Amino acid sequence: MDNLAIKLRPKKLKDVIGQTHLLGEGKILTNLINNKKIISMILYGKPGTGKTSIALAIASELDVRYRLLNAVINSKKDFDVVIEEAKLYDGILLIVDEIHRLNKDKQDILLPHLESGLITLIGMTTSNPFHKINPAIRSRCQIFELKEHSDEDIINALNKATKSGLLPDIKIDKKAKEAIMNLASGDLRYAYNLLEMAYYASNDKKITTSFLKEINAKPIFFHDSSDDGHYDVLSALQKSIRGSDVNASLHYLARLIEGEDLDSLCRRLNVIAYEDIGLANPSIGPKVDAVIHSVERLGLPEARIPLSVIVIEMALSPKSNSAYLALDEALNDIRSGNTSNVPNHIKTNSPDYKYPHDYPNHYVKQQYLPDKLVGKEYYKAQNNKYEKQLKEIYDKLKNIN
């Protein structure tokens, strides 16, 4: 028996909730459908963002033959069957869930048919395709990121569900809908499933916040009231670490752990390591990477343990943004045309190049910057122990005749 989420699955793109950066008048996917064109693509985003709904709506609107497979569950033989069907009907749309887990055997049989156009692929994944999907598959697909549903999206979807007639005589107030919205954390499927469970678990079809607390093990967790509440918490975590407030950092870490969004949390910690701590504590980047690997292996609830260690260390670490500020200044020069040719003596195979390793202290004075930028200093060391040491080394080298 189909659940509520499947019963409410849209048949057309215009009925898909959210993803307005891709869907709607003048937007990429809508234009493709209007032009009766289908291309191989990868849809990636968190659970409940509508990947399957969009893929099936595309197939429905274009009225094309399609098959839906899972990269883990379905065997190589299942993929062979689809290829033979594609040959029989001169093409097919293949929708593959968890495409980041497609093994080499399945990739090998798919690739030539993707190349020839016999198979059009829509891959779906919760993992970043630039990190997790085989480059040979990725290069043959356009990549579209699906964003978390906003609070408004979730409320609109709940209103649609309660008015659909699929839950007869349901009684639910605004606060209960907002509680489901906050519990869902942008996951529309979760919101539908919770609504349906609450409906059938009640004896009078009435859903309240107190009843939701009874049936849901996860505490009702409220982000800030804006549609971007989740990102506000990520921002608050970064600003708290940057401001060296260890207690606030732990508070926002706890909120993000409770929201169970480890991917966004780990990405943000990686950014903080290099944007806010940087050269003041260069060991922090590899430490964050090690924690991310631990988080991936452990999952919740154990992942909270290494996360607590690294967030405390990051909050109490010395801070520096000198490195990325230096690069941004160099990028501004490039983009504004403030540059000139590479000096001849450091061009490829130049006989005039002086090889530093042939000189004392592995250093010899010679010009590296283009003529127009000689004397330019992008990097400005900040007042922390490690950068002071770097500055001393650099100043000493500059004074060598």
Side-chain angles (χ1 to χ4, degrees), residues 12-209:
K12 296 184 177 180
L13 285 181
K14 68 180 181 62
D15 297 323
V16 173
I17 292 173
Q19 310 310 332
T20 54
H21 62 300
L22 299 173
L23 305 173
E25 187 176 352
K27 299 301 174 66
I28 298 169
L29 294 184
T30 299
N31 286 347
L32 285 172
I33 298 304
N34 290 341
N35 291 320
K36 305 297 181 186
K37 179 66 177 176
I38 182 66
I39 60 171
S40 289
M41 65 182 75
I42 293 169
L43 303 175
Y44 88 98
K46 295 174 185 174
T49 50
K51 299 181 291 294
T52 304
S53 292
I54 289 175
L56 293 176
I58 288 172
S60 174
E61 286 212 56
L62 292 179
D63 194 24
V64 294
R65 180 175 294 275
Y66 77 92
R67 289 291 177 264
L68 176 60
L69 299 179
N70 184 292
V72 179
I73 297 170
N74 291 104
S75 66
K76 179 175 177 290
K77 183 178 179 181
D78 294 325
F79 283 81
D80 284 327
V81 169
V82 172
I83 291 168
E84 291 306 312
E85 185 177 357
K87 291 176 181 176
L88 184 62
Y89 291 97
D90 195 27
I92 202 167
L93 172 62
L94 175 59
I95 302 171
V96 180
D97 199 8
E98 296 193 80
I99 193 168
H100 63 285
R101 300 180 68 181
L102 199 67
N103 64 30
K104 189 175 186 302
D105 286 347
K106 295 169 188 173
Q107 290 173 22
D108 288 344
I109 63 171
L110 275 182
L111 281 171
H113 304 297
L114 280 177
E115 190 71 35
S116 69
L118 183 69
I119 286 181
T120 302
L121 174 69
I122 298 182
M124 301 177 295
T125 177
T126 56
S127 298
N128 189 326
F130 297 102
H131 298 157
K132 299 289 187 178
I133 292 181
N134 181 290
I137 294 283
R138 196 176 66 225
S139 69
R140 289 164 173 81
C141 300
Q142 293 297 314
I143 296 174
F144 300 110
E145 180 179 7
L146 273 60
K147 298 179 180 178
E148 284 185 343
H149 288 99
S150 67
D151 290 351
E152 183 181 359
D153 290 336
I154 299 294
I155 293 296
N156 287 341
L158 292 173
N159 289 337
K160 178 180 178 181
T162 56
K163 295 174 182 177
S164 65
L166 296 172
L167 304 172
D169 302 319
I170 186 172
K171 296 179 282 291
I172 182 170
D173 59 23
K174 180 180 178 183
K175 286 186 178 180
K177 289 178 184 176
E178 289 175 349
I180 294 175
M181 171 194 77
N182 283 287
L183 285 164
S185 296
D187 184 336
L188 182 54
R189 186 191 303 113
Y190 184 92
Y192 281 149
N193 289 344
L194 181 55
L195 176 69
E196 185 176 30
M197 182 175 69
Y199 173 79
Y200 286 110
S202 66
N203 57 12
D204 58 0
K205 312 305 183 200
K206 185 175 182 180
I207 302 173
T208 63
T209 52

Side-chain angles (χ1 to χ4, degrees), residues 318-351:
K319 309 296 191 298
S320 173
N321 62 352
S322 61
Y324 92 84
L325 289 179
L327 179 59
D328 282 353
E329 188 175 345
L331 287 168
N332 286 335
D333 274 347
I334 302 302
R335 291 164 182 167
S336 64
N338 186 26
T339 187
S340 55
N341 292 333
V342 174
N344 288 330
H345 62 279
I346 61 169
K347 290 181 178 178
T348 307
N349 298 325
S350 170

Side-chain angles (χ1 to χ4, degrees), residues 382-394:
Q382 294 185 0
N383 189 28
N384 59 73
K385 183 178 179 181
Y386 186 74
E387 288 190 85
K388 284 180 180 177
Q389 293 174 346
L390 293 180
K391 187 175 186 302
E392 287 174 8
I393 294 169
Y394 187 53

